[in-house]
Amino acid sequence: MSFKDEYDKFQRQIAPDKEFLERLAEKMDAEKQVKKKRIKIGAGIVSAAAVCAAASLIIVANTEKTPEPPPDIIGVGADKIEYVEGLFPYGSSASGDIAELAEMLADSETTVYGSPNTMFNFDDKLDETEKNALAEKLRNAVPTDEEPNGDAMNYMATNDGKVVKFSVTVDILSISENNFKV
Amino acid sequence: MGEFQSDISAKRLLELYSDMIYRIAFARTQNKADAEDITQNVFLKYIDSNKRFNDEEHRKAWLLRVAVNCTNDFVKSAHYRNRAPIEDVPDAEVHIEENSEIYYAVQSLPEKYRLAVHLFYYEDMSVAEISALTKIKETTVKSQLSRARDMLRKILKEAQYEL
């Protein structure tokens, strides 16, 4: 039995309501009309203001929201952290893995490879001492050319409200140029 | 098939793409009302952008990108993070008649994995395409799919699906 086939069947049941689509179509048409009027009015104003040297027109056409500025970052060098994502919850099926990973990271004997990509959330899996030890490890993370093995796992770490962003590579599929060693 | 028209009616646009957008939003939020909000946002952005497209693939790619971004913005919003658990909001439940095993299995995945699973298995996108669309590194996408498959295998073990 193919998961893909079953998933396709399941997805075909997921669809917006007809009433919702009808309302949305009306809204879209109305918005189109308003836009047309705005352009007409705007064109008139621009013509009138053309001689005004102080006038400026800024058009923002960016559908991508600017990420929020990250909270204080600890750990890996700041130039390697591009964007900090928010906390995200894990399902119970992953909690065992998180606990295991937390222990592994806190263990001073463990060498962990990662890339500054995503983050850990340990919740209550580490006590304060372990969290501080981990934070200290992360602060001392160094770039490396060494090659870990296996699949990358991505988590998010918090330590007293401060967020560190990286992915832990226990096994990897490929190396990124920003790998570091903890 | 007919000549490509960049400017099409709202009704036609929704016929072509509302299911796709809604399913992406629902894959992440697992909530009908939220998926509707996101779907509406996407299509209103479309109207607002007044963008010209070279062909239908171009339009679809743009809509996919906006859908992913709108969904990301939505799940990161304070409103979404602070709201009550879905169990307390019975009206938000979507009635799934068939393949409910798959529904509950996917629903139990972490929200980020659900999007990768949806784009890979339903939209037939490659890892590279998912990476380009979501701006997540390919290694991360691969690991999300790998982890999702592991979790799905455990959850669906009796059904023995090929993943």
Side-chain angles (χ1 to χ4, degrees), chain B residues 96-107:
Chain B
I96 305 284
E97 288 179 10
E98 297 176 36
N99 305 103
S100 56
E101 187 180 38
I102 295 277
Y103 170 69
Y104 290 116
V106 172
Q107 192 184 33

Side-chain angles (χ1 to χ4, degrees), chain B residues 51-67:
Chain B
K51 194 168 169 65
R52 308 299 295 173
F53 298 99
N54 303 326
D55 52 39
E56 207 56 54
E57 281 306 306
H58 185 198
R59 191 194 333 260
K60 183 180 176 183
W62 188 92
L63 284 167
L64 274 171
R65 152 69 60 206
V66 174

Side-chain angles (χ1 to χ4, degrees), chain A residues 1 3-4 6-8 11 13-14 17 32 35 64-65 83 85 97 117 152 154 173-174, chain B residues 23 32 48 69 73 76 97-99 112 118 121-122 124 135 139-140 142-143 147 161-162:
Chain A
M1 199 176 346
F3 173 80
K4 178 173 166 50
E6 294 304 305
Y7 189 73
D8 276 3
Q11 280 299 316
Q13 298 174 71
I14 309 289
D17 290 340
K32 242 181 182 173
K35 228 178 130 53
E64 295 178 1
K65 193 167 175 166
Y83 174 55
E85 297 171 352
D97 297 324
N117 193 11
N154 302 307
L173 302 174
S174 64
Chain B
R23 283 166 188 159
K32 181 171 173 278
D48 207 44
N69 288 343
D73 290 345
K76 283 171 195 159
E97 288 179 10
E98 297 176 36
N99 305 103
K112 271 193 182 171
H118 181 80
Y121 285 103
Y122 188 71
D124 289 323
K135 292 190 177 170
T139 48
T140 306
K142 280 181 194 170
S143 72
R147 293 291 297 151
Y161 287 99
E162 292 167 26

